[in-house]
Structures are given as C-alpha cells and as structure tokens.
Amino acid sequence: MKTSTFDELTTAPDKTLDCDVLVIGSGAGGLSAAVTAAYHGLKVVVVEKADVCGGATSWSGGWAWTPGNPLAKAAGVNEDRELVRTYLRHRLGANYREDKVEAFLEAVPHMVGFFQDKTSLQFVPGAKIKDIYGSTPGAGTGNRSVGPKPFNARKIKPELRAKMRHQLYETSFLGMGIMAGPDLAKFLSASQGNLQGLFHAAWRVGLHMWDLIIHRRNMQLVNGTALTGRLMKSADDLGVDIRVSTPAKRLITDANGTVTGAVVDAPAGSYTINASRGVVLATGGFPNDVARRKALFPKTPTGREHWTLAPKETTGDGITMAQAIGASFDTDVESPAAWCPVSLVPYRNGRTGTFPHIMDRAKPGSIGVRRDGKRFVNEANGYYDYVEGLLKATPDGEPVEAWQIADAAYVRKFPLGMAKPLPVPLFPYLRSGYLKKGDTIEELATACGINPTALAQTVADFNENARKGIDPEFNRGTTEFNRYGGDPKVGPNPSLAPIEKGPYYAVKVVPGSFGTFAGLKADGRARVLNNDGEAIPGLYVAGNDHASVMGGLYPAGGINLGPALTFGYIAGRDLAGVNDYEDDRPTVPQSAHHNDDAPARRFSTSRR
Ligand SMILES: Cc1cc2nc3c(=O)[nH]c(=O)nc-3n(C[C@H](O)[C@H](O)[C@H](O)COP(=O)(O)OP(=O)(O)OC[C@H]3O[C@@H](n4cnc5c(N)ncnc54)[C@H](O)[C@@H]3O)c2cc1C
C-alpha cells in the first residue's frame, strides 16, 4: 500500500498517475463508488469524458428507489423486506435474479444511511411516491424512495462548480429546475392564480434571474443537479481527484489478467493511470451507441429511430473496454433500455431538444393515440409501459410514433410536453410546429396525420367514460400511482377528465430512453464477470454499464439511480476491503449530519 498523501499524486514524467482506485465516469454510479472508497481511506481518481461531470444523473429527477431506507424508518415505516421481494418477484418474473436483488436489498438501507450520515449527500423522503403497479402483491404505497435535498450551489467552490453539468434545458424553466412534489405543485397552482403559488414562483424565478446575471448558471440545485452537486462536493471534501475531458480509452491488465488501471486521453495527450486496488466502470451504458441500438432495440431498423435523453458521451465505452479483456455483455434482459416517451423540440438556432413525457401523460384530460386514432395504453402508468405499449401496437414497417392530445382547458392548466401552462404563451410552440392545433378534433387529426373519424370516436368514447370516472379500455385511474399522478381537485377520478373544449392541441411522441438496461454481467459484489462467470480481478461496475438489477423491467420510478448508487457503494466498500456495516455507522453527533457544509469524514490511513 502506498504511503504518499493524496496531494503528492501527480502525473509523472513517464506519463503515469498512481492511485488506489480509478473510477471511469462521474454519474451516480461512479461518484457513489468514488465517495465510498475515498471515505474508507483510498486515493481515488475519477476521469470523465465530457467537459462536465454528472452524465444522465445530472439531468435526472434524482429519485432513487431505496426500499427499507432509514428515512422511511425514521418516519415509522418499518416495511418487511419480504414484501419488497414479493413485489419484485411478481413484476420481474423470469427476470428475477435472486443474487443481485438480495445484494441490492441488503445494501440499500446502509447506502442511504452512509451518505446521509457521513457526506454532503442529504436526502428527502419520497413519502408519497408509489410503486407503479399498485395492484401487484407487495406494491409500495410510499416511502420506498429518496431524492436529493435541494442544494445551494454557492456551497460548492467555484472551481468545482465549473465542472458541473447544467440542468437539462427541456425539463427546466429557463434553465431552473423544478422539483417534483410541493415545488412543482406550487408552480402548477400559480398557473391557476393561486396567490401562494404565484409568490413561490415569482420568488424562485426572480432568484434564478439574479443567479444567471451574477453566476451565469442555475444555483438553486434540485433533482439530478442536486444529486451530482452533493456527490461532487462530498468527493471533493474527501480529496477525490476529478478530471474532466479525460476519456478512458482502454483497460490495462497484468500478466494474471488483473485490471491494474487504464489509459486515458487528455487535452495535453494520453497517459496511464495505475490503480493498485482496481477500476470501476461507470460510463453510463450505451444509449448513444447507434450500432448496438440497431442490434438490440426493437423496431429501430438503422439504430437512429430512437431518441435517448442521456448525454451524447454515453456511447458504451465501459462495455467496449471490458469486452476487450473478456467481460460478459448481458443482453438477456426483458428490454435493452429504460424506455421513456419523448418529443422533439425544434429551436430557432437549429438545435433539436428532447423532452421527456414524465408527468403530462398522467394529468386528467390528455390521451395518447396512434395514427389510427386509437389509444394503445394506460397513459398514466409508467413511462416504460407507454413506450412498450406503443412498440407493440405499431405494425412492422410503420414509424413508431404517437400523439398526446388535449383540449384548451388542459393546456392552460398543465404542461403538454414542452408547452407550459399559463402564464407562459403557447405561440412559440405553435410557430415552431412543435404543437399542433385544430378548432375541432377532426381538424386536429388532419393536422397530425391521424385518422379523423377514428379519433373523433375515440375521444367521444373516452369522454363518456371519463365523466363517470372510469376507463374500461385500459383501467386508467384504478391504481394509487395513476391517481397520484393526476389532479386531486378533479373528480370522481383524479386521473380522468373529458377532452371537450376546443381548440384542441397535440404533440408528437416518439420512443426514447433514460439509459440502457443491457450491460456487463457482475456479481453481488459489483465485480465484473467473464464469459465463464468468474470475477475479473480488479474490475468493478456501477450504474448503467451494469446489466439491470431489475432484469430490464421498470417496477418503480427510481430503479436506475437506486441500484446505481447502491452498487457504486458496494464497489467502493469492496475495493476498500470493508465488510462490516458498523464501519459506516455515524461517528459524528447527529446535529452535524444534516449540515450541508460539514466535510465528509475520512478514516485515517492507519485503518487500511
Ligand atoms: C430526464 C431524465 C430523468 C431521469 N429521472 C430518473 C429518476 O428520477 N430516477 C432514476 O432512477 N433514474 C432516472 N433517470 C435515469 C438515470 O438518470 C440514469 O439511468 C443514471 O443517471 C445513470 O447513471 P450512470 O452513473 O450509469 O451514468 P451517467 O450518469 O450517464 O454517467 C456516466 C458518465 O460517464 C461518462 N463517460 C462515458 N464514457 C466515458 C469514458 N470513456 N471515460 C470517462 N467517462 C466516460 C459520461 O460522460 C457520463 O458523464 C433519468 C434520466 C433522465 C435523462
């Protein structure tokens, strides 16, 4: 074990850099591993391909599925783990992988407790977030998730702030993130003239404008930017060396096949990073690898008929590097990717944005239809189900696309894709062609290329049932998840309202993804496996480089980030040789745990 202090790590004249652990990629998986390993006294280097850290994690909602988490316990919810297993067994079916599920369920409460107690990553409980399939045995009705506590970027030193990815523009209001829950509810209520909502929105937007002038960036971090901002601060507090614009190109192994480091590119040239303990791959899977998409994604004849939300750098580098030294790429999953319906937003500068339809589908008074004018899914279920339903309903050879339609009352009250409710005007979206409009349902259908007669019939049938609060075709509004995503002020069913006040509007929806599910095969210790099922010494994986712990299914929101953080934590501990969870127990008084500015504590090197 080296005895040099971390500050002595430099790139030597022979173009090498020595550390204990090299982490490749700086999203949830990579930063979780880096913080954990550094906390346990290891010298950690993180290399990041982009010129900013955070990957898809920064653009995410930040919610992590974490059953049994200590925040739930603190709220008096002591769920039996068997209930969670029951839910997963029912949802994952043949894709249920006991070793991986058990490793996840065992470590996840400790992971949340570790970050909450020891680092700047503070969480808020997802007390009201329900599992998607409420009628499945074991489904959770809340408290199985945590999200990052909002974070003031002023608490991050400017040099580190410069390495932080901005909020995804399409999910922001002029670059400012809005957090699901009370924050979003207040913004929506502002559009309906609620005074408290108006005050909240004016204060948040005013502060944001000030930050743009002074700091030239969003400083009120929420969702994924809060998650990565907090992880980056924690890593920095522990002395982790974070290097942006430094893509890893290939892994290095010794004569025994042990992974001992990697060759990286940097603006000044390439060099070697030697990692005495091992390397963690966390490059975010392959959502931007067109060739693998063509091979693995359904109804994607050239690989380009898919619009992922993940940043362009996520091209499967981790999988490619690992395969080059004999790792197993596991494509035996239900779905190769975490589907999300998206719409394409044309901007005046020629750029096309990708908007995720996460929330609008579930609001009462909007339905999704195909060009045949028929609905194809319960729109208020998960994003995964929407795209899966669309893929199934689309005949071979036809483009996979749908239209999310709504009426005038809806579009002034709720967002329809990128188009925002009052007081934001609709005309920019109409002018760009993003939003289609028709005075009647038939006119709207013609503008979109939908069968007008069929659409009029679909809307008439839907309206008649919606007034009664039922959806005989797809059972929309029958689960807690559906109703929670609706509008509590709407009755008899918060998920259903008729579409009856012209003019009518529509946004075209196409298949997209949050990231990929197929990935490297690994064991419960996050060690990458070769084609014989043996662990490759010194090689770990976390995040979407790792084959989905959920077997390529989407049982609950947060099933990407929960496992990414957890297997990063598992990898960090394994690399540090820490077996006992006692070592993660709080060592500082509780009052200090929730101080965002408290530096994360690090064990002395004598522990190693
Ligand atoms: C809009 C949106 C909302 C979402 N909401 C949620 C949510 O609320 N809950 C949830 O669970 N999931 C959510 N997701 C999905 C989730 O964000 C991702 O699955 C998760 O962040 C992936 O984490 P990761 O660490 O694997 O990869 P990433 O966060 O993408 O990080 C990978 C990093 O590796 C870098 N990299 C790539 N190649 C190299 C290389 N060769 N060398 C060095 N670095 C490299 C990339 O540039 C990137 O920064 C959402 C995604 C999006 C886009």
Side-chain angles (χ1 to χ4, degrees):
M1 174 56 59
K2 292 175 193 61
T3 52
S4 56
T5 67
F6 195 83
D7 293 342
E8 285 162 2
L9 286 174
T10 52
T11 308
D14 63 349
K15 294 199 168 182
T16 59
L17 172 68
D18 291 342
C19 63
D20 295 324
V21 175
L22 170 63
V23 175
I24 303 177
S26 64
L31 289 176
S32 170
V35 171
T36 309
Y39 175 82
H40 287 292
L42 300 186
K43 296 166 188 168
V44 182
V45 174
V46 174
V47 290
E48 167 54 53
K49 183 180 183 179
D51 59 1
V52 283
C53 294
T57 307
S58 287
W59 287 352
S60 75
W63 288 100
W65 199 61
T66 51
N69 68 73
L71 280 74
K73 290 197 175 127
V77 179
N78 267 308
E79 211 176 31
D80 185 350
R81 195 181 291 173
E82 190 53 28
L83 213 57
V84 184
R85 286 191 193 102
T86 302
Y87 182 65
L88 289 179
R89 280 199 196 97
H90 277 86
R91 292 312 319 170
L92 309 190
N95 295 289
Y96 186 90
R97 295 168 195 196
E98 189 166 0
D99 59 332
K100 301 300 280 293
V101 171
E102 284 307 312
F104 171 64
L105 292 180
E106 169 63 24
V108 73
H110 299 287
M111 179 278 288
V112 175
F114 164 71
F115 283 109
Q116 182 84 0
D117 291 335
K118 305 287 194 180
T119 77
S120 286
L121 175 50
Q122 302 294 292
F123 295 107
V124 292
K128 292 186 180 166
I129 300 179
K130 289 115 183 49
D131 288 342
I132 295 174
Y133 307 97
S135 47
T136 299
T141 55
N143 286 297
R144 280 188 185 169
S145 315
V146 293
K149 191 172 164 191
F151 198 41
N152 187 338
R154 286 171 188 77
K155 292 179 178 172
I156 301 171
K157 63 189 188 196
E159 312 88 87
L160 194 62
R161 219 150 64 198
K163 294 183 186 171
M164 281 172 49
R165 187 176 281 278
H166 288 257
Q167 170 89 27
L168 176 65
Y169 184 76
E170 281 70 33
T171 56
S172 75
F173 182 71
L174 302 175
M176 181 190 74
I178 297 176
M179 193 177 176
D183 191 26
L184 174 64
K186 282 182 193 159
F187 269 91
L188 289 178
S189 73
S191 72
Q192 290 157 50
N194 176 290
L195 263 185
Q196 205 196 358
L198 281 167
F199 180 76
H200 177 83
W203 178 78
R204 287 269 273 118
V205 174
L207 191 59
H208 176 61
M209 292 302 156
W210 174 256
D211 288 339
L212 288 183
I213 295 165
I214 303 296
H215 299 285
R216 303 199 164 278
R217 66 161 298 138
N218 174 27
M219 300 291 282
Q220 306 171 52
L221 307 182
V222 297
N223 306 336
T225 54
L227 180 58
T228 48
R230 286 178 172 281
L231 279 168
M232 284 174 71
K233 181 175 187 308
S234 305
D236 190 60
D237 287 342
L238 290 161
V240 173
D241 178 351
I242 301 176
R243 297 173 174 230
V244 294
S245 302
T246 307
K249 300 310 260 186
R250 68 183 167 81
L251 297 170
I252 306 168
T253 53
D254 67 12
N256 303 319
T258 300
V259 175
T260 57
V263 175
V264 300
D265 265 358
S270 51
Y271 58 97
T272 297
I273 301 182
N274 297 314
S276 59
R277 294 282 179 115
V279 172
V280 181
L281 294 171
T283 68
F286 62 96
N288 279 291
D289 177 351
V290 174
R292 282 195 182 102
R293 284 199 321 225
K294 178 174 184 284
L296 295 171
F297 286 22
K299 299 193 178 167
T300 316
T302 69
R304 298 195 179 279
E305 302 80 4
H306 179 87
W307 292 266
T308 185
L309 291 151
K312 64 179 184 334
E313 289 83 7
T314 52
T315 49
D317 295 5
I319 294 164
T320 306
M321 288 187 280
Q323 280 187 298
I325 62 156
S328 175
F329 178 37
D330 186 2
T331 58
D332 184 18
V333 282
E334 181 72 19
S335 162
W339 307 130
C340 177
V342 299
S343 50
L344 306 178
V345 193
Y347 295 108
R348 294 184 100 179
N349 64 5
R351 187 175 86 84
T352 301
T354 311
F355 179 89
H357 287 258
I358 294 173
M359 182 255 285
D360 56 346
R361 297 168 289 109
K363 296 294 173 205
S366 177
I367 56 169
V369 294
R370 287 189 55 256
R371 64 160 68 164
D372 61 7
K374 294 186 180 147
R375 291 172 66 213
F376 52 91
V377 80
N378 173 347
E379 300 87 349
N381 271 354
Y383 8 77
Y384 177 93
D385 302 283
Y386 189 102
V387 175
E388 198 199 28
L390 179 58
L391 284 165
K392 278 192 184 141
T394 306
D396 285 340
E398 265 189 33
V400 184
E401 59 189 36
W403 293 89
Q404 199 62 31
I405 69 165
D407 69 5
Y410 177 103
V411 292
R412 302 296 49 210
K413 199 169 164 195
F414 303 117
L416 182 61
M418 188 73 184
K420 309 270 188 301
L422 279 173
V424 183
L426 293 177
F427 75 83
Y429 303 104
L430 291 163
R431 184 180 54 199
S432 72
Y434 175 75
L435 201 59
K436 301 285 184 202
K437 182 180 175 185
D439 283 337
T440 62
I441 287 287
E442 287 81 355
E443 248 180 68
L444 180 74
T446 307
C448 301
I450 302 169
N451 179 328
T453 322
L455 183 61
Q457 188 60 54
T458 296
V459 171
D461 293 347
F462 177 81
N463 286 353
E464 193 185 330
N465 291 315
R467 282 187 205 101
K468 295 183 221 150
I470 55 169
D471 173 24
E473 204 176 357
F474 294 106
N475 296 321
R476 178 167 163 178
T478 54
T479 62
E480 284 286 311
F481 181 82
N482 284 177
R483 287 191 287 272
Y484 181 65
D487 179 353
K489 293 198 207 91
V490 169
N493 188 329
S495 186
L496 295 167
I499 302 163
E500 55 193 354
K501 286 197 181 82
Y504 301 92
Y505 297 87
V507 169
K508 188 192 217 174
V509 174
V510 290
S513 61
F514 291 129
T516 42
F517 277 155
L520 294 170
K521 213 171 243 181
D523 64 12
R525 288 166 61 187
R527 300 179 307 171
V528 176
L529 303 179
N530 65 19
N531 289 319
D532 296 325
E534 294 156 348
I536 299 175
L539 190 59
Y540 291 76
V541 66
N544 289 350
D545 280 356
H546 184 185
S548 159
V549 178
M550 301 295 154
L553 284 134
Y554 219 117
I559 53 87
N560 306 296
L561 290 174
L565 290 168
T566 304
F567 280 90
Y569 166 78
I570 291 173
R573 287 168 53 85
D574 208 82
L575 280 156
V578 177
N579 300 315
D580 193 345
Y581 285 118
E582 288 293 315
D583 286 347
D584 286 346
R585 282 271 169 89
T587 54
V588 288
Q590 285 294 324
S591 58
H593 298 158
H594 299 283
N595 177 357
D596 295 336
D597 292 325
R601 283 171 57 103
R602 180 178 175 175
F603 287 142
S604 74
T605 46
S606 62
R607 285 186 64 85
R608 287 185 276 147

